[in-house]
Amino acid sequence: MPKRHAVVAGAGIGGLTAAIALHRRGWHVTVCERAPEPPTTGAGIGLAPNALRALDTIGIDAARAAGSAVPTTMGLRRSDGQWLARTDTADMAARYGIPPIAVPRPALSAALAAALPPEALRYGTAVTGVDDATGHPTVRTTVAPDLPADLVVAADGIHSPLRHAYFPAHPGLHYIGETAWRTIVEAPDLRIPAMSETWGRGERFGVTPLSDGRLYLYATAVVPAGTRSADPRAELRHRFGSWHDPIPALLDRVGRLHPAEVLQNDLYDLAAPLPHLHHGRIAWLGDAAHAMAPNLGQGGCQAIEDAVVLAHLVPAADSADSTDAVPAALAAYTAARRDRTDAVRVRARRIGRLGALSNPLAVTARDLTVRATPDRLALRGMDDLFNGFRLPG
């Protein structure tokens, strides 16, 4: 009996994870990615305990594959440097069984791609549509011929064309009111062991040590959508140059980069949950399914959970009933993932609103409240995220 065929639209973290998980269930997998080649530049990605646990269920040790950098502490600061909240990662490891790690996104992508047969990856091949009128999908791409599939995984990103095609009445994306800058710098001399985010008035600045010794930096500001400066390096210096150490020294490193190495993107999330995460034999995951603000660091983590749960629910490729069972399996996938991912989306939006406050009185009240919250209680508040990954059944 021939193997069942899954076509994955998108070779991001979620799409690659889904491809690996399905491949290890015996499926023949084709990953179509519009980019002409694998990413070689980009920002960092944090992998929380829930994502690391999900990857472990499909035999992927992210720390071994892409390296690991476990910060000594994680916390929240004011622009003058005062800590508002701080947690030792040893306490996180004790509570959740594993500490979070942060890796360069291209390194994680490369490690995941290496777990697939080379012929499974088709770069420079964008999915333009899916014809499923007969109940047996045919995937159209920018490169002929069309691809017949028993399962289509729509991992085609925040602007998902497949989401637009199948949910035309959905309100789409919602601008959360902030733009974000991201980059990676070399700064071994600064010896920064902590992962931190600093909150000001309508602005934030984050520092994350990466597995390769570099530092992932990100910053946000409340501005109208589409706001751009001629030089993002100068813009960051203007906004954050007077903040606490080591931010000015890090901005010196940013100043040595080419402007194109500082990424800027306006931040959007999904305006409302999708009515379901599947249609027939098509399943949506990651940003295509539930785009969320980055405030909890869970966008990639939830995409990984999606991918692992999806592959767990679909029948093994060589089972006798695999074709007929796929639609029912995708309905079970919606039931397993929709509520959890939407709760994370809503929570990320609410946290973002706190970080984006600019009124001086509101900022003072926010900071006092965060500082008055015991660190252990704050850590316990992450239990539903970090301990929330489950395989159905």
Side-chain angles (χ1 to χ4, degrees), residues 170-238:
H170 188 272
L173 298 176
H174 157 261
Y175 179 54
I176 67 173
E178 295 177 274
T179 195
W181 298 267
R182 297 172 294 144
T183 193
I184 295 176
V185 298
E186 304 266 5
D189 55 307
L190 298 182
R191 301 181 181 278
I192 299 173
M195 178 188 299
S196 65
E197 183 168 293
T198 300
W199 285 4
R201 292 172 53 186
E203 297 173 327
R204 290 177 284 170
F205 195 99
V207 182
T208 302
L210 294 177
S211 59
D212 60 2
R214 296 182 295 169
L215 294 166
Y216 167 44
L217 310 180
Y218 61 91
T220 70
V222 176
V223 296
T227 301
R228 295 293 183 270
S229 62
D231 186 342
R233 302 166 303 176
E235 179 73 8
L236 291 171
R237 169 67 71 181
H238 170 72

Side-chain angles (χ1 to χ4, degrees), residues 14-70:
L16 289 173
T17 303
I20 294 168
L22 289 165
H23 172 65
R24 294 184 175 180
R25 293 273 287 162
W27 285 69
H28 171 56
V29 178
T30 301
V31 182
C32 298
E33 168 55 46
R34 67 171 65 91
E37 58 187 15
T40 56
T41 60
I45 181 172
L47 297 175
N50 54 305
L52 294 171
R53 198 169 293 117
L55 288 170
D56 185 65
T57 66
I58 60 169
I60 298 294
D61 183 337
R64 187 173 184 178
S68 65
V70 180

Side-chain angles (χ1 to χ4, degrees), residues 240-386:
F240 304 101
S242 64
W243 286 25
H244 66 79
D245 291 333
I247 292 175
L250 290 169
L251 292 174
D252 287 342
R253 305 305 199 278
V254 174
R256 302 171 192 171
L257 301 175
H258 188 279
E261 295 180 87
V262 181
L263 308 177
Q264 183 179 358
N265 301 97
D266 293 340
L267 298 181
Y268 291 83
D269 65 4
L270 212 60
L274 293 180
H276 34 80
L277 305 184
H278 74 287
H279 180 282
R281 297 178 184 277
I282 308 171
W284 281 261
L285 62 75
D287 282 347
H290 44 69
M292 59 186 66
N295 304 304
L296 293 171
Q298 280 288 314
C301 296
Q302 290 302 310
I304 289 169
E305 286 193 18
D306 288 343
V308 172
V309 170
L310 174 64
H312 172 76
L313 288 170
V314 299
D318 58 357
S319 63
D321 63 347
S322 60
T323 298
D324 293 338
V326 168
L330 299 194
Y333 165 72
T334 284
R337 296 298 301 159
R338 183 178 178 274
D339 288 350
R340 172 164 168 79
T341 56
D342 192 56
V344 177
R345 179 189 66 86
V346 171
R347 184 172 175 180
R349 182 184 288 187
R350 289 173 177 168
I351 291 292
R353 288 172 178 164
L354 285 177
L357 289 174
S358 57
N359 179 279
L361 292 178
V363 167
T364 298
R366 175 198 69 192
D367 293 353
L368 288 172
T369 301
V370 173
R371 192 176 180 189
T373 303
D375 292 339
R376 289 186 178 180
L377 183 60
L379 182 59
R380 190 183 309 160
M382 304 301 285
D383 285 358
D384 60 333
L385 286 179
F386 296 165

